[in-house]
Each structure stands twice: as C-alpha cells, then as structure tokens.
C-alpha cells in the first residue's frame, strides 16, 4: 500500500471514529457539507456580504403606499415551513426577526430547479447563516416580509439549536437549564431573546454612568491589573508569576491606590471601570472576576459623595429604564434621590437591640456568642463588627440606604471621623439587602496611613488572609501630598442585577466562571478488547451507551446485537456484523469480571 493511500485510509478511520461521537443530526449536517461542495456551493465563503438594512428597520419603514423596495439582509435561519413550490423561513439578524418568502421559480428561473429542491429544501438547516436579496411586501396574512430573489449561504451550522416554540405569546420547550445556559451563552443569547436585552441594558448602564461623569469633566483612566502588591481592599488575591522578571504578581483586587496616586499627580477627578479578581467564594451574588467602577474627586468629602452617588443612580435608572423604579423578586426598588442615612452603630442597635459603641474585642466576641454570629481567632474588632452587621442588619435594607460612620478598625484607608476618632467617614450603600457601593472621605495623612497599614500587617500575621499589605510606594505618594478627596466604588454587576430585575450575578455576566465540564467516564479500548471484542466495534458499543465494560454484564446480548448492527447500518460504516453468538460471548466474559 502506498503512503498516500495509507494516509487517506487513516484519515477516513479517524473521521469515522469522530462521527461515532456525534448525534444523528450532527452527522447529517456534516454530510450536507459534502453535498453542498459537490453542488459548487462553499459552506464557509471567504467574501463578505453587503447588508443594506436590518429586520427592525424594514418593518418600521414599510408602507403599503411606497414603491417596491429592494433590500439585502443577512442573518441566521430560526424557523422553516417547507412546502411545495413556495416556502417560508424566519430570519434573525442582530436587531430582530423577519419572515422570508421563497418560491421555486423566483429562486430558479431556468429549467434547473436544484437550487430550490436540493440546496434550499434539503441542505439548509435551522442555525445556518444566509444572505437574502429581494423586495419587501406584506403577505395576505398582513405580515411584513421579504420576497427572496436570491439566497447565499454564508455559514453552515453543524450543531442543531434547541427548538424553542412560541404560540400565542407563550414559549414552550424553553432553553432554561442554568448549567447549559451559562456554559453555552452563545446558544442562550440565540434562543432566549430576553437574555440579549439584559446585556444590552448592561452596556447602557455603563454608558449612562460615563455620561454623568463626563459632563462633570472627570477623566476615565486605566490602571494595572497585574500588581506587585494586592492593595486597595481587604480580600484574598489570585497569584501569578512573571517569567520576564522572575517575580510573583497578583491580579488586581481593587484599583483604589492607583487612582489616588493620580489625585496626588494633579487630576481633580478620575474614574475607572475596573475588572477585579478575588480568590474567594462563589454564590448568587459573588463571582471571582467582577467589575467595579471607582471614582475619586478632589476637595470633597463623603457627605458630598453621598449626594453625588444618589444623583448618579437616579440619572442612570431614568436613562436606562425611563423610571427610577424596578421590580427585583418580590421587592420594588426606587432609586429616586434622596436616600435614607443610618450609622452602622445605630443599624446594629436597631436590629439587635445591642449598643456596641466603645466595646473592645473581647466584649464583641461575647456579643457574637449571644447573637449566634460565627467568629474565629483571626478576627479583630473590625471583622467582628462587620460579621455582626452582615448577619443581623445588612439584609434588612431593601430600599437604597446609606450605612455611615464605620468603626476605624474596619476601614484602614478611610479618614477618621471629624467628631469621633473611633469612627471613620465612610458609607456603604445597601440596596435589596446587599452592599452596592462603598465610599470614604479618603485618608490623606501619610503617617496615620502608615500606622493603619501596620495594624493590618499584624492581622495578616495573626492569620487573616484578607488583611491588607503595606504599599510603600503609595505611602511615598501620600508624603508628596494628596488634597482632601472622597472616593466611591460601585459594583457594576450588582447594579446591573438590580436594574434588570435579576437575583443571580450569573445572569448579568456573559461568561460567568463555571466548574470544569463533566465528561462521561469511559473505559479504555483495551478493557473491551480483552473480552474478545474487535477494536473497530468498541466505539460502536460506546456509541450505544455502554461507556464502561461493567455495563455489559447485565445487558441482553440480543438487544446489544441489534443496537450495534443498527448503528453500523445507520452510520454506513460497512463493518462485517458479528453473529449473535459472538456478542453473547462478549457479555458472558464481561459478567465474569470482578
């Protein structure tokens, strides 16, 4: 056998083995590829396709009184009604859907009708991208449609889309499995149109916020994601290694310290939409990778920032939704300013009846025991207070509420309160029982900041892996002088959840982090061949659902014989079928295994 023939046979063998892992629909679509090319039609053409308009524009601009309008449109086939000489397809582009009317004689004006009978009726599938040239008209049923004069295949879909049926406004067989939706977001966006609306609104939220800031001449900037010190927040970082310098680096947990360096450098107002990474838990409101907007404005304090924040959120809500009100689960949230203000100490007292002001660490531990709040030896005063508030008060604030004046131990980057040195000038905005924004009158005293960092270092040595590192360069920047400044960070994913009425962060992240995809366990080919099964039949047995040798122990040999011989015929493999007695001997040997 020549080397060339051997390679051809080898390629055919691997193609056949790959096909055994495909569904029947996937195999048929791959066969269509060959038939299309035999017809001289390239399933993946290199040239572009000129698009003159979109589905929604066609419908909005149509009038029965206007002259015939020629259009060129492209999109994905989402439905087909194949009839005799005339058929309909539903085409989806980036802006909506429109009906396409296709007739045999318009598509094939000559004697040869293959383009309609074979290409259109047999070789096109739901999910394929096509280009349509034709004219707009209204059907007898009153639907604005396109009468196709030519069809161009732009990309062949090799996997069938989930079939979602809509009748009288009711959706059936919806693609709802969260595991599949989040992992295959590309399919989710195609078949669940409301999902696309969520991400369109997400972008508009960002745009509205930028517009609010830009009108005030604040500058959008970029700061490093790879950092030598994970500063700006109390969180556990991700670590990585830079080979070029042979140093360990951290993925950004916050951009705060870099933005404050820019205030030192002379900017009066800077902001950034920051992609942050924290090596912590995952749940319905937390993802290890998330987006925060942080803004810093010179010559202001946290009281100014409270007013700024509520004005901004009211502006964004109206810009995106046309209203300040939004339904989230059972709650209606109203972002109309002004928002209620409650101190943290009062919030804890309101919901526990306990006044913690002035308590030391041991007393706070006793309060935790009394309230049933979990604690451990690594927690200092700040962490204990945070746990008490989080467990007993935070979830009670549904309408936007500023929780203010946090104990100094909780806020190592925040200026001491002007009236009480045990507190800081800080607020967190609580909405629907969760923190949405966090803000300070920024600490600009370099000596006080150094002392606070050193206190954090003692917590780190004590075992608190979320305590802050000391950033010597940031301290050096402060020593050059930073003007009075307020800063605020807002969780953009949580804000998107609120403004789109979602209760899970995964719903507002295009590609949320997922556990590794589970694969069905399969025994090795050698485990089957030791039973006397020829190697070429092993993949067929696995294709039939017998992924492990032990699964052959209880199977009826006649049933197994029928299944694998049926697959041989269906897949056109042309293998010589085993006899029923041969298959029986395989199952008998399997039953002898331990």
């Amino acid at each position: 056998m020549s080397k060339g023939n051997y390679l051809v046979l080898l390629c055919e063998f691997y193609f056949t083995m790959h096909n055994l892992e495909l569904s029947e629909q996937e195999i048929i679509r791959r066969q269509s590829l060959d038939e299309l090319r035999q017809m001289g039609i390239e399933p993946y053409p290199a040239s572009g396709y000129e698009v003159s308009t979109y589905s929604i524009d066609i419908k909005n601009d149509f009038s029965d009184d206007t002259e015939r309008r020629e259009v060129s449109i492209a999109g994905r086939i989402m439905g087909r009604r194949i009839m005799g000489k005339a058929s309909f397809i539903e085409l989806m582009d980036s802006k909506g859907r429109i009906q396409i009317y296709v007739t045999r004689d318009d598509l094939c004006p000559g004697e040869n009708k293959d383009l309609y009978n074979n290409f259109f009726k047999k070789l096109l599938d739901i999910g394929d991208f096509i280009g349509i040239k034709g004219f707009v008209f209204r059907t007898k049923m009153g639907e604005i449609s396109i009468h196709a004069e030519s069809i161009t295949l732009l990309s062949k879909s090799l996997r069938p889309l989930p079939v979602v049926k809509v009748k009288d406004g009711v959706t059936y067989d919806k693609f709802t499995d969260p595991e599949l939706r989040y992992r295959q977001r590309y399919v989710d966006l195609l078949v669940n149109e409301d999902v696309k609306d969520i991400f369109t609104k997400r972008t508009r939220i960002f745009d509205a916020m930028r517009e609010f800031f830009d009108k005030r001449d604040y500058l959008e900037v970029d700061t490093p994601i790879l950092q030598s010190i994970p500063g700006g927040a109390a969180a556990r970082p991700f670590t990585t290694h830079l080979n070029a310098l042979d140093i360990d680096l951290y993925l950004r947990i916050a951009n705060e310290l870099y933005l404050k360096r820019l205030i030192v450098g002379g900017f009066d107002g800077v902001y950034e939409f920051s992609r942050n990474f924290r090596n912590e838990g995952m749940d319905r409101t937390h993802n290890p990778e998330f987006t925060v907007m942080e803004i810093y404005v010179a010559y202001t304090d946290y009281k100014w920032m409270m007013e700024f924040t509520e004005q901004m959120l009211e502006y964004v809500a109206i810009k995106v939704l046309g209203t300040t009100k939004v339904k989230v689960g059972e709650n209606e949230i109203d972002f109309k300013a002004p928002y209620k203000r409650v101190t943290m100490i009062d919030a804890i007292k309101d919901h526990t009846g306990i006044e913690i002001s002035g308590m030391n660490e041991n007393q706070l531990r006793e309060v935790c025991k009394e309230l049933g709040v979990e604690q451990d030896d690594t927690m200092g005063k700040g962490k204990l207070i945070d746990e008490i508030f989080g467990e007993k008060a935070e979830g009670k604030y549904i309408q936007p509420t500023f929780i203010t004046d946090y104990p100094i131990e909780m806020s190592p980057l925040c200026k001491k309160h002007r009236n009480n040195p045990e507190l800081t000038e800080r607020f967190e905005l609580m909405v629907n029982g969760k923190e949405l924004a966090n803000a300070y009158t920024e600490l600009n005293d370099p000596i006080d900041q150094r002392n606070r960092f050193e206190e954090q270092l003692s917590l780190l040595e004590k075992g608190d892996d979320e305590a802050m590192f000391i950033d010597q360069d940031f301290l050096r920047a402060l020593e050059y002088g930073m003007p009075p400044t307020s800063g605020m960070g807002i969780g953009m994913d949580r804000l998107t959840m609120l403004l789109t009425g979602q209760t899970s962060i995964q719903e507002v992240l295009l590609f949320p982090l997922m556990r590794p995809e589970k694969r069905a366990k399969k025994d090795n080919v050698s485990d089957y061949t030791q039973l006397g099964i020829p190697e070429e039949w092993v993949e067929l047995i696995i294709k039939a659902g017998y992924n492990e040798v032990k699964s052959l122990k209880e199977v009826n040999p006649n049933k197994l014989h029928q299944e694998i011989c049926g697959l041989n015929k269906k897949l056109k493999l042309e293998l010589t079928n085993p006899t029923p007695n041969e298959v029986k001997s395989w199952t008998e040997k399997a039953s002898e295994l331990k």
Side-chain angles (χ1 to χ4, degrees), residues 86 187 200 251 308 352 439:
V187 178
T200 300
L251 294 184
F308 179 83
T352 67

Side-chain angles (χ1 to χ4, degrees), residues 201-232:
K201 284 180 178 174
R202 179 185 172 106
T203 295
R204 289 175 180 164
I205 290 167
F206 281 66
D207 290 344
M209 199 174 285
R210 279 191 175 95
E211 188 177 279
F212 186 84
F213 298 151
D214 293 346
K215 284 179 179 178
R216 290 155 179 79
D217 291 329
Y218 302 143
L219 184 70
E220 184 172 7
V221 297
D222 291 311
T223 63
I225 290 176
L226 290 175
Q227 302 180 354
S228 57
I229 292 175

Side-chain angles (χ1 to χ4, degrees), residues 405-423:
D405 302 347
Y406 282 50
I408 194 168
E409 295 85 0
M410 295 180 64
S411 311
L413 296 169
C414 186
K415 185 169 282 190
K416 289 180 182 177
H417 198 283
R418 64 196 74 180
N419 299 321
N420 185 343
E422 293 186 355
L423 303 177

